[in-house]
Amino acid sequence: MFNLLLLSFLTVLFHLLVGKNFSKFLNTNKNTYYELSLTSLIGLISLSFIALIINFFVPLNQQTNTIILITLLVSILLTNGNFLKKIISKTVLKFIFFSTLGVFLMIILSNINTPDAGMYHFPYVNILNENKIIIGISNIHHRYGHVSIMQYLSALHFNYVFGINGIVVPLASLAIYSIFVFLSYINQKSDLSISNVFSIFIIIFIFWKMNRYSGYGNDAPAHFIFFIIVLIYLNSLEIFKKIDDKTFYLISLFSIFAFLNKTFLIFALLIPLISINKNILKNIISLKFLLLSLLLISWIVKNILTTGCIIYPMPSTCLNLPWTNFEGI
């Protein structure tokens, strides 16, 4: 039990540190509970895309994952002179404490009925740990075409520091960070604005319908992120009356992540599209835009290599390749 508590702490700290580094590109770097929750989610999302790109070349085994972990931490310290001093504050320490406790309790109190994990998620995580991307893997079983970016994130957490139990922590972490986003937003707003009322309803919905961690699968992470996208969108409209550059790229990152968790949430990509205005269009060709495009293209290439389809299992997106699994569609 102590090992799980320590694992939860190390994972939360890792996500926050990575998030602090990458959130600088999105100007989301304040030490409020709301911003810290978003920052941790940015760290978690960044890690999932790192895992995806690395898996094109090598398996996500313990050695590779440990090298990635160490490389990220060293690069953070080398490129940010007073990085640790900046994040060590009462608010940050309390956030880490409550996030660690939340992750620990969510896992320890979950039941063992996890049929989807046993049939779909864990077997594919094991494949990622042992192999780089396998061409036509959906021909082994069509379930391997229905994977999400969360499986890559889980696979990355199997390293010499976190151990085999590391693969179960990311899903719980994402849920806790998401819950904290809404709770902290409600606490800091304390009014009857549309965004705050929306947050209250989402918290009620989460505790009513999304309170069983063992049943999350790939659906819950996608829905958590989609709820947050809507909140960020509403909050920005209330404050600025339009979507600014920072919010546009934050929404875009979260929308892509939601879609890569659940194909049905492709409509989440409509939110950044309707958010585009003249100011955003002026600077649309930027490093941020290119990076986000690369992430989406990487997933599409992965899908083509593993299933023969751009979006599996939509027949209209499938190419007539030697390994295309038309029978699984």
Side-chain angles (χ1 to χ4, degrees):
M1 189 171 293
F2 174 77
N3 289 338
L4 181 58
L5 182 61
L6 178 61
L7 172 61
S8 301
F9 167 73
L10 292 174
T11 307
V12 167
L13 183 60
F14 182 47
H15 293 163
L16 181 60
L17 288 173
V18 174
K20 277 286 184 180
N21 202 42
F22 284 100
S23 62
K24 292 185 298 182
F25 298 101
L26 299 168
N27 300 318
T28 308
N29 216 23
K30 297 178 182 177
N31 282 351
T32 65
Y33 294 120
Y34 174 72
E35 294 277 355
L36 288 169
S37 302
L38 287 177
T39 298
S40 295
L41 284 171
I42 292 171
L44 187 147
I45 292 171
S46 300
L47 288 169
S48 68
F49 287 122
I50 289 172
L52 170 63
I53 292 172
I54 292 293
N55 191 235
F56 275 97
F57 308 100
V58 293
L60 296 172
N61 55 38
Q62 272 190 298
Q63 182 178 354
T64 299
N65 295 339
T66 305
I67 292 172
I68 294 171
L69 183 149
I70 294 172
T71 302
L72 285 171
L73 293 179
V74 170
S75 65
I76 289 169
L77 296 175
L78 289 179
T79 56
N80 298 270
N82 298 318
F83 189 79
L84 292 178
K85 291 181 181 179
K86 291 179 182 178
I87 70 166
I88 295 178
S89 67
K90 184 178 180 180
T91 303
V92 174
L93 293 176
K94 287 174 68 174
F95 172 79
I96 293 173
F97 172 78
F98 286 115
S99 295
T100 299
L101 184 62
V103 171
F104 172 73
L105 291 176
M106 179 166 281
I107 296 174
I108 207 72
L109 296 176
S110 65
N111 61 50
I112 59 174
N113 181 27
T114 56
D116 284 349
M119 292 179 61
Y120 295 85
H121 309 147
F122 291 155
Y124 198 79
V125 169
N126 184 61
I127 289 172
L128 296 176
N129 289 146
E130 295 180 351
N131 305 273
K132 63 181 181 180
I133 288 179
I134 300 175
I135 295 177
I137 192 173
S138 64
N139 287 287
I140 297 176
H141 197 288
H142 66 84
R143 70 174 66 126
Y144 294 140
H146 295 277
V147 299
S148 88
I149 194 71
M150 282 300 298
Q151 274 75 74
Y152 286 84
L153 182 67
S154 294
L156 185 68
H157 283 69
F158 175 45
N159 54 54
Y160 290 120
V161 178
F162 300 157
I164 188 63
N165 289 330
I167 66 175
V168 303
V169 178
L171 180 55
S173 301
L174 185 147
I176 292 299
Y177 303 150
S178 300
I179 291 170
F180 280 5
V181 165
F182 291 102
L183 289 177
S184 58
Y185 188 84
I186 293 168
N187 182 63
Q188 74 179 23
K189 289 284 285 188
S190 301
D191 59 21
L192 290 178
S193 62
I194 295 176
S195 60
N196 208 33
V197 172
F198 172 77
S199 298
I200 293 170
F201 276 114
I202 291 300
I203 283 295
I204 294 172
F205 178 78
I206 289 172
F207 287 117
W208 176 44
K209 296 290 288 183
M210 301 176 71
N211 55 13
R212 191 169 68 90
Y213 164 72
S214 58
Y216 276 2
N218 291 331
D219 293 350
H223 289 116
F224 276 127
I225 297 299
F226 179 72
F227 296 152
I228 292 172
I229 294 168
V230 176
L231 174 62
I232 296 171
Y233 180 80
L234 292 175
N235 179 60
S236 186
L237 287 182
E238 288 174 356
I239 295 175
F240 304 109
K241 307 303 179 184
K242 64 178 181 179
I243 303 300
D244 61 1
D245 184 80
K246 162 197 161 183
T247 306
F248 171 75
Y249 285 109
L250 185 60
I251 288 176
S252 298
L253 176 66
F254 279 43
S255 297
I256 292 172
F257 185 75
F259 168 54
L260 301 194
N261 269 290
K262 197 70 178 176
T263 304
F264 173 74
L265 283 179
I266 190 171
F267 65 82
L269 298 175
L270 294 175
I271 298 180
L273 288 178
I274 65 174
S275 302
I276 295 177
N277 52 53
K278 291 181 179 179
N279 291 331
I280 294 173
L281 278 175
K282 286 180 182 178
N283 303 303
I284 195 69
I285 304 301
S286 63
L287 179 60
K288 297 174 187 177
F289 180 80
L290 293 175
L291 284 174
L292 289 174
S293 300
L294 174 64
L295 299 178
L296 188 56
I297 291 171
S298 297
W299 185 260
I300 291 173
V301 172
K302 187 277 301 179
N303 278 351
I304 293 173
L305 291 176
T306 56
T307 68
C309 304
I310 296 173
I311 301 176
Y312 187 84
M314 294 176 60
S316 59
T317 70
C318 294
L319 308 175
N320 190 18
L321 299 172
W323 59 86
T324 302
N325 182 15
F326 289 106
E327 292 183 3
I329 298 173

